[in-house]
Amino acid sequence: MLPAHYRGTFTMPPEDRKLAAAATAPAKPAADESVARSLARLHGAAEAIVSATGQAIYVWDIASDAIEWSGNFARLIGLDAGETRHLKGRSFEAMLSSRSQETRFGVVVSAAEAATARAPVPYQCVYLLHPDAAVEKPPLWIEDTGCWYPGENGKPVRAQGSVRIINERRSREEDLRRQSDFDDLTGLPNRRSLERQLDAAIRDAEHRGTVSTFLILSIDRLDTINDVFGFGHGDRVLREAGRRIQAKLRADDVVCRLSGAKFGLILRDCPPAEVFDAAQRVIAALAAEPVDTGDGRIPVNAVVGACFLPRHAANAAEAMGTAFRALRKAHGEVSTRISVFSADPTEDALNRRKAALSFEILEALDKDALIARRAGGAALADGTSLQHIELFYQEPARAGGTQPAPLDLSVTGRELGLMRPLDHKLLQATLAALGEEPGTCFMLDVSRDTILEAGWMAELASGLAAGGIAPQRLVIGLAEAFALGGRPEAEGILRSIRSLGCRITISRFSVSPEAIARLSHVPADFVMPDPAILELVPAGAAQRFPDHLAAAFDLVRAMGFEVISLPAGTA
């Protein structure tokens, strides 16, 4: 039967309203029975129609939170006998999946504005009902349509409506959405989706004051591949290219199939200093292995045009136009295959030089042609000297035979955004030196992006174990901005390093009250002052810190940390 409250508000044809009116007027007993039978048949027919069309009806009294359902509801959604959660508004909400973006409570009670009239207010919401997530039953998409009725204060006091299962319709809608937002060939988001995500990335970068990078990557000679091997093999190359690109991106980055042989990449929080390294990693991943088609192995090469967001574009259309202009220049960059947009000829020339230098350094790294030098480091309190390894790149001789001085890659590598590959090389060189000299301690500074890679930590652990190296002989240096930033990932990294047995120093330590307060919560051993702090030490024989800095370092020592890399006379 229909819920009792619903019977009084059910919309009936005029002839049925006459019957209902007659039922309330004084009548003879026989007439009363006739009207009652007519109304019962009417309600029975209404419930039969509702049930036959896959719907159920409810009345929700908001004050008591009680819900009355039509008799077919439990059967419609497959509730077990004795289930009662659907009889209360709040407990019914608990049966919804966390994937639901709307709820009846949300659209009726939480979002409802006070009604200015006493007329019912219509609503509709769609949610995912999953009564028993532990049971292997597919959840049900529910469309909930009804009206809520205002009380004296204009707020909802009662709601009534109907629900129906829309799984098939939802599936069709999802298929249409995939067709409109995703590329059928690669499964990646398509140009339409890319435009939306570009606009969102530009707004986000503007709001947070950060820089993101947009790349357009073009696969070389796709037309030739199609002509020689056929379109089926060309499609296979595109699918594999999409997979390889996606594998090289971070979780927040985006790759889309733009058109033809072109892909669009959004690299969030990727400043200019990192763009060449990021683009080169993707290009290298594509070229690393030819695509096996069964009829031959097809090499895959690419060129990249880049622009910065929001510096070079205020919207998606401008971003794509700007990156396309850079891409056209990239086709002429035989060595680097990367071009960054610049409207300034001077800046454009600088970008070309940076791209060429990045390529040269990475090539030297691959060929193990970088120069590694041992350098003496800070002295610890027990007299131990911390050694460290520095990497240099020797540029080719210039015109006229002039040999430039080797580039210090601790500086140049950071400017070019190459610290990740250089950090891996430094780790390998440091582990080798530790293995060769059992009595020596080494310090190894690691950048934030590198140490967040699972591969770096695994390489450290395996290298220590394989070389039989006492881990306390290695001091890992992490910058204050990362180590004391309070981020969960930093805390996890510090614990991982400590679990391996290595010691930890906080480098570029600012000696600020905030840094000292955070220092007490990290498992570090040493602090190394920021070089800018050392500039405060006066020159001459009486090299001593100002009193307030000396007191701060005394406090750090009292907390159990050793202060290293201080000038003579400041300890």
Side-chain angles (χ1 to χ4, degrees):
M1 292 294 290
L2 293 170
H5 289 96
Y6 205 96
R7 296 170 203 161
T9 58
F10 188 77
T11 301
M12 296 179 286
E15 59 271 19
D16 292 328
R17 285 201 296 271
K18 291 178 182 178
L19 289 173
T24 62
K28 297 179 181 179
D32 289 345
E33 292 176 7
S34 176
V35 171
R37 285 195 299 271
S38 296
L39 288 174
R41 285 196 300 272
L42 176 65
H43 294 312
E47 184 159 357
I49 292 171
V50 167
S51 181
T53 55
Q55 300 181 70
I57 294 173
Y58 65 86
V59 174
W60 178 24
D61 181 71
I62 294 173
S64 66
D65 202 31
I67 303 178
E68 290 186 68
W69 292 94
S70 55
N72 67 320
F73 176 72
R75 184 174 64 258
L76 178 69
I77 67 169
L79 290 181
D80 295 331
E83 176 64 75
T84 60
R85 286 178 295 169
H86 62 295
L87 300 179
K88 289 286 187 179
R90 287 288 192 181
S91 55
F92 179 75
E93 299 283 305
M95 298 167 69
L96 306 189
S97 166
S98 59
R99 291 162 54 195
S100 300
Q101 296 183 347
E102 295 180 309
T103 68
R104 183 195 304 143
F105 193 93
V107 299
V108 173
V109 177
S110 300
E113 298 180 359
T116 56
R118 299 301 298 275
V121 180
Y123 63 85
Q124 185 177 76
C125 56
V126 174
Y127 45 78
L128 191 59
L129 188 65
H130 204 180
D132 192 349
V135 177
E136 292 297 325
K137 288 183 180 179
L140 303 172
W141 282 105
I142 302 294
E143 182 182 75
D144 191 328
T145 306
C147 293
W148 59 265
Y149 294 82
E152 294 295 335
N153 60 358
K155 295 291 186 179
V157 295
R158 179 167 57 90
Q160 58 190 41
S162 65
V163 296
R164 61 173 175 161
I165 300 171
I166 58 167
N167 278 27
E168 290 186 7
R169 192 187 85 188
R170 186 79 178 189
S171 178
R172 290 194 300 271
E173 291 172 349
E174 286 292 319
D175 287 342
L176 289 173
R177 187 185 69 81
R178 279 192 292 271
Q179 292 172 18
S180 64
D181 287 345
F182 288 84
D183 175 56
D184 289 338
L185 177 62
T186 62
L188 297 173
N190 59 16
R191 176 170 180 157
R192 172 177 168 171
S193 178
L194 174 63
E195 290 173 348
R196 286 202 306 270
Q197 298 197 62
L198 268 174
D199 282 328
I202 292 169
R203 290 194 301 270
D204 179 64
E206 288 174 335
H207 176 71
R208 296 192 296 117
T210 59
V211 177
S212 292
T213 297
F214 175 53
L215 310 178
I216 293 181
L217 180 146
S218 179
I219 304 296
D220 280 349
R221 304 184 311 279
L222 184 65
D223 289 342
T224 303
I225 293 172
N226 288 332
D227 291 342
V228 175
F229 293 92
F231 284 94
H233 291 334
D235 289 348
R236 184 175 298 182
V237 168
L238 287 172
R239 282 194 295 270
E240 178 61 16
R243 187 192 66 78
R244 293 183 187 181
I245 294 170
Q246 197 165 36
K248 284 297 177 181
L249 300 186
R250 302 165 298 180
D252 290 342
D253 296 335
V254 175
V255 56
C256 302
R257 170 90 183 283
L258 185 55
S259 64
K262 296 177 178 62
F263 295 83
L265 291 74
I266 302 173
L267 309 182
R268 299 184 187 278
D269 297 334
C270 179
E274 298 178 9
V275 65
F276 295 109
D277 180 37
Q280 190 61 46
R281 284 202 310 273
V282 175
I283 291 174
L286 291 171
E289 185 75 19
V291 176
D292 192 351
T293 66
D295 294 326
R297 289 163 60 80
I298 302 176
V300 182
N301 295 296
V303 292
V304 170
C307 68
F308 302 124
L309 309 176
R311 181 194 303 177
H312 294 148
N315 54 52
E318 290 182 9
M320 285 195 282
T322 302
F324 264 119
R325 289 197 291 276
L327 182 66
R328 284 196 292 271
K329 290 186 179 180
H331 283 286
E333 298 289 343
V334 178
S335 59
T336 66
R337 315 286 285 166
I338 304 164
S339 174
V340 176
F341 173 81
S342 173
D344 181 351
T346 303
E347 186 178 349
D348 189 41
L350 179 60
N351 285 335
R352 286 170 178 266
R353 172 59 188 146
K354 285 183 177 179
L357 183 58
S358 296
F359 181 81
E360 291 172 13
I361 293 171
L362 290 172
E363 188 175 40
L365 183 61
D366 289 339
K367 294 179 179 178
D368 199 22
L370 296 180
I371 302 169
R373 293 178 182 171
R374 177 80 60 83
L380 301 182
D382 61 5
T384 302
S385 175
L386 281 179
Q387 303 289 306
H388 68 277
I389 292 175
E390 298 174 342
L391 294 177
F392 294 83
Y393 170 63
Q394 180 62 65
E395 293 183 88
R398 294 170 183 158
T402 305
Q403 185 69 55
L407 293 175
D408 182 354
L409 294 183
S410 67
V411 177
T412 304
R414 196 174 303 278
E415 291 174 350
L416 297 177
L418 300 179
M419 289 313 300
R420 273 185 271 198
L422 294 175
D423 281 338
H424 282 280
K425 179 62 178 176
L426 283 168
L427 173 60
Q428 295 162 11
T430 302
L431 289 172
L434 285 166
E436 293 167 0
E437 303 178 28
T440 308
C441 293
F442 278 81
M443 180 168 174
L444 177 64
D445 281 317
V446 191
S447 66
R448 168 190 173 277
D449 288 342
T450 303
I451 205 164
L452 287 174
E453 294 179 354
W456 188 91
M457 192 66 70
E459 189 177 351
L460 170 62
S462 61
L464 290 171
I469 300 167
Q472 65 269 22
R473 292 173 48 216
L474 179 60
V475 178
I476 303 295
L478 298 174
E480 174 193 306
F482 172 69
L484 304 185
R487 298 176 66 88
E489 58 265 34
E491 296 172 5
I493 290 295
L494 289 164
R495 287 194 298 269
S496 296
I497 295 173
R498 177 64 80 200
S499 70
L500 293 175
C502 298
R503 292 182 287 179
I504 300 170
T505 185
I506 307 302
S507 60
R508 297 183 177 277
F509 188 62
S510 65
V511 206
S512 67
E514 295 80 6
I516 293 174
R518 292 173 183 162
L519 192 61
S520 62
H521 301 293
V522 299
D525 304 276
F526 313 104
V527 297
M528 182 175 291
D530 190 309
I533 299 293
L534 302 182
E535 294 176 3
L536 299 175
V537 182
Q543 289 182 298
R544 300 197 61 83
F545 277 115
D547 291 343
H548 69 285
L549 287 178
F553 282 124
D554 287 342
L555 176 58
V556 169
R557 293 187 187 94
M559 294 168 64
F561 299 94
E562 184 176 335
V563 180
I564 60 175
S565 192
L566 296 181
T570 61

